[in-house]
Amino acid sequence: MGTNSVVEICGTFTQQSTTYPSVEYVGIPTGKAYCIAKADVSGGGGNAIISDDSQIVAIAMGNVTGLGMGNASFCGPNATSATCPSLWPEGLSDDKNSCGNAPTIIDELDGFCTKPGATGTLDGVTKFGITVQQKNNSWPENIPNGFLAMESKDKGFVVTRVQHVSQTPQPGDAIAEPKEGMLLYDIQDKCIKLYNGTEWKCVERSCND
């Protein structure tokens, strides 16, 4: 399977070979591909595996017998979007009787875009920096157009965490009077949210229009 490819198996599937895995990945090392079985799958037991490749995401929406996951990322048996939200692709229906999701999943995988950064005259340099590393004499002034720069090789930036904020602010939300541009991590919804002045929305990968 290649990068961002999807195989959707809508009937029962059997992998009897214990020598060769069911799926091989041939895409870029940092990519991934989805192998989705809507019905029951089985194997020859022992060394019978789905894939040797960590880039394969295998989702089994039925029963699984005699077939190991190998190095693949695996969700199943009887997988749903609720049981493995981090592996579940956009566009995959929870209804295992619904077939033909592959084109929608591929469109979602390929639907992201990036654009070159803006070019032009430098407006200024970053004057404030926080670092836990040995400071370079030209840092943070060598970072253009910033206000504050932070760096670390082994530390993370922790955003304020709250229990929950509704998409449209409601009485009882963790933030009583949100301000436009506010960021936080919603523990219940498991995402970083941005308040745009009207709604709280999870920050998601998208085109940078």
Side-chain angles (χ1 to χ4, degrees):
M1 297 183 69
T3 306
N4 288 352
S5 60
V6 177
V7 170
E8 185 182 18
I9 304 169
C10 297
T12 55
F13 171 76
T14 299
Q15 154 71 9
Q16 291 298 330
S17 173
T18 58
T19 305
Y20 300 102
S22 303
V23 181
E24 181 181 5
Y25 182 77
V26 294
I28 62 174
T30 56
K32 62 182 174 181
Y34 287 88
C35 181
I36 302 164
K38 293 291 186 76
D40 296 346
V41 298
S42 60
N47 295 324
I49 61 170
I50 295 171
S51 180
D52 277 326
D53 302 314
S54 60
Q55 296 91 344
I56 296 297
V57 179
I59 296 177
M61 298 177 69
N63 294 317
V64 180
T65 55
L67 185 62
M69 71 178 89
N71 291 324
S73 298
F74 178 73
C75 179
N78 304 312
T80 67
S81 58
T83 59
C84 54
S86 63
L87 297 179
W88 200 265
E90 289 290 329
L92 176 58
S93 171
D94 274 287
D95 181 2
K96 59 186 180 182
N97 295 315
S98 168
C99 205
N101 297 158
T104 304
I105 298 168
I106 292 171
D107 285 345
E108 290 291 337
L109 291 171
D110 292 337
F112 302 120
C113 69
T114 57
K115 296 180 180 179
T119 58
T121 305
L122 179 66
D123 291 334
V125 296
T126 306
K127 296 183 179 180
F128 300 97
I130 300 172
T131 181
V132 294
Q133 303 178 130
Q134 183 174 350
K135 184 183 180 305
N136 185 297
N137 289 334
S138 62
W139 185 90
E141 291 83 0
N142 59 356
I143 300 176
N145 298 331
F147 176 75
L148 173 66
M150 295 184 291
E151 66 174 13
S152 172
K153 289 185 177 179
D154 58 3
K155 299 292 187 295
F157 174 66
V158 181
V159 177
T160 300
R161 299 182 299 164
V162 302
Q163 186 57 42
H164 181 60
V165 288
S166 307
Q167 181 171 340
T168 302
Q170 303 290 329
D173 279 353
I175 305 296
E177 296 183 13
K179 304 301 179 186
E180 184 177 357
M182 186 177 285
L183 282 169
L184 54 77
Y185 180 80
D186 188 308
I187 296 172
Q188 177 177 308
D189 291 345
K190 300 184 184 302
C191 69
I192 291 178
K193 288 185 174 180
L194 169 70
Y195 186 66
N196 63 11
T198 304
E199 296 179 319
W200 286 104
K201 290 193 173 182
C202 291
V203 176
E204 298 176 340
R205 182 179 176 186
S206 184
C207 293
N208 57 352
D209 289 328

